[in-house]
Amino acid sequence: MLTQQDYNCIGVVAKHCDYDKLCIAERHALESDMENLYCDFWYEIKEYWDQVDAYDLAVLNCNGDQACIDAIPQVINYTEKKALIYGGTFENCSGKTRTFEGIRNVLIYYSYARYIFINSVDDTPNGLVKKTNDFSIQLNDKELSKQADMYRSMGYDKFKKTEMYLCNKREIFADFNSKNCVGCGCSCDKCGGVTKNKGYGIRGGNITKRL
C-alpha cells in the first residue's frame, strides 16, 4: 500500500532502505497496529482506499477527456473517503476548521516505527544477528526503542485526528465506533485504544494519550 518514497521527510529510509524489511514492517503495522486502532472498521477503510485509488487511476488514464471521466462509475462519498485516506479538513463541533493528514500517514508512522527494529537484524544461516559495520556504532535496544516509540507517538497523534474526522462525519461513516467519540454519536469499549503489540522487546508500556 506504500512505497519507499512515502517515507521521504518522515524517516531516514530514502537513501539506505532495505525495501524487503520495510515491506515486513508495513505488513506488521497493517495486521497489528491499524486493526487495533480502527477495529473492525479497518476492513471498510481498506475498501475505501481501493475505491479511491481505482477511481483516481481511471481518471488519470482518461488524459483529461471529460466524456471518458463522466463514464467512470462514481464512488459514493468520494470526497469524504479520499480525505479520510489522504487527509483534508473538517469543521469541529465549535465550527472551527481542523486539518488532519489521513490514514495513509498513520500507517507510514507506525510502519516506520517497526522498521527501526526490523532493519537492525539480519537473517543468516546461523540465525538472526545484529547488523554491524566498521564505520558506525549501532544503537542499542533502549535507544532503538526510544526512536521507535517517538514515531509511534506521532502516529497515534495522527490517528486521533482521523478519529475526530470519522466521528464528525458519522452520517457517512456510521459503522465506525470509538469509546473516545463522546458527543459525536459513537460508543465502543474496545476501539480507539493505543496499540499494545509493538513487535519488539520483552515488554513495554503503552503510549500515554496527550491531554
Side-chain angles (χ1 to χ4, degrees):
M1 299 179 77
L2 303 175
T3 67
Q4 180 179 335
Q5 286 69 35
D6 290 328
Y7 295 85
N8 289 347
C9 300
I10 300 290
V12 286
V13 299
K15 294 182 179 179
H16 306 288
C17 173
D18 188 322
Y19 189 77
D20 289 337
K21 291 180 180 178
L22 192 61
C23 181
I24 293 171
E26 179 188 337
R27 174 59 58 187
H28 290 177
L30 284 168
E31 294 177 350
S32 296
D33 300 313
M34 304 304 284
E35 289 191 12
N36 191 3
L37 289 169
Y38 297 100
C39 299
D40 287 343
F41 192 68
W42 174 242
Y43 298 101
E44 277 77 6
I45 290 173
K46 289 194 291 186
E47 290 182 7
Y48 300 158
W49 201 327
D50 289 340
Q51 291 171 4
V52 167
D53 283 354
Y55 180 81
D56 287 347
L57 179 60
V59 170
L60 181 64
N61 289 335
C62 284
N63 295 315
D65 184 340
Q66 191 58 49
C68 173
I69 295 174
D70 292 341
I72 301 172
Q74 295 295 305
V75 175
I76 299 174
N77 298 317
Y78 167 83
T79 301
E80 291 79 11
K81 289 177 180 177
K82 183 165 185 175
L84 174 63
I85 304 303
Y86 293 103
T89 62
F90 66 94
E91 287 189 1
N92 64 10
C93 297
S94 301
K96 296 181 179 179
T97 300
R98 293 289 180 262
T99 62
F100 67 104
E101 296 184 23
I103 288 172
R104 174 177 168 273
N105 263 26
V106 177
L107 175 59
I108 288 172
Y109 276 89
Y110 274 93
S111 296
Y112 187 67
R114 290 181 176 273
Y115 174 78
I116 288 173
F117 259 84
I118 293 174
N119 190 44
S120 67
V121 177
D122 275 336
D123 183 24
T124 73
N126 297 317
L128 296 177
V129 298
K130 285 281 189 177
K131 291 170 58 176
T132 60
N133 61 60
D134 297 332
F135 306 103
S136 62
I137 300 175
Q138 188 176 32
L139 296 179
N140 59 41
D141 286 349
K142 183 177 180 180
E143 292 169 326
L144 287 174
S145 295
K146 184 177 180 180
Q147 286 292 311
D149 283 344
M150 177 183 71
Y151 281 96
R152 289 175 66 86
S153 293
M154 289 190 288
Y156 186 66
D157 286 343
K158 296 177 189 306
F159 156 72
K160 296 303 295 181
K161 293 179 181 178
T162 64
E163 183 183 53
M164 290 172 60
Y165 175 75
L166 285 165
C167 291
N168 183 271
K169 301 292 183 181
R170 62 188 182 279
E171 73 279 2
I172 296 173
F173 305 112
D175 291 335
F176 177 72
N177 293 309
S178 172
K179 64 181 181 181
N180 298 317
C181 288
V182 178
C184 292
C186 305
S187 63
C188 176
D189 293 333
K190 297 181 179 180
C191 185
V194 295
T195 57
K196 298 178 180 179
N197 180 11
K198 293 183 178 182
Y200 57 83
I202 298 175
R203 62 180 180 177
N206 291 338
I207 298 169
T208 302
K209 184 176 68 174
R210 296 178 181 177
L211 300 177

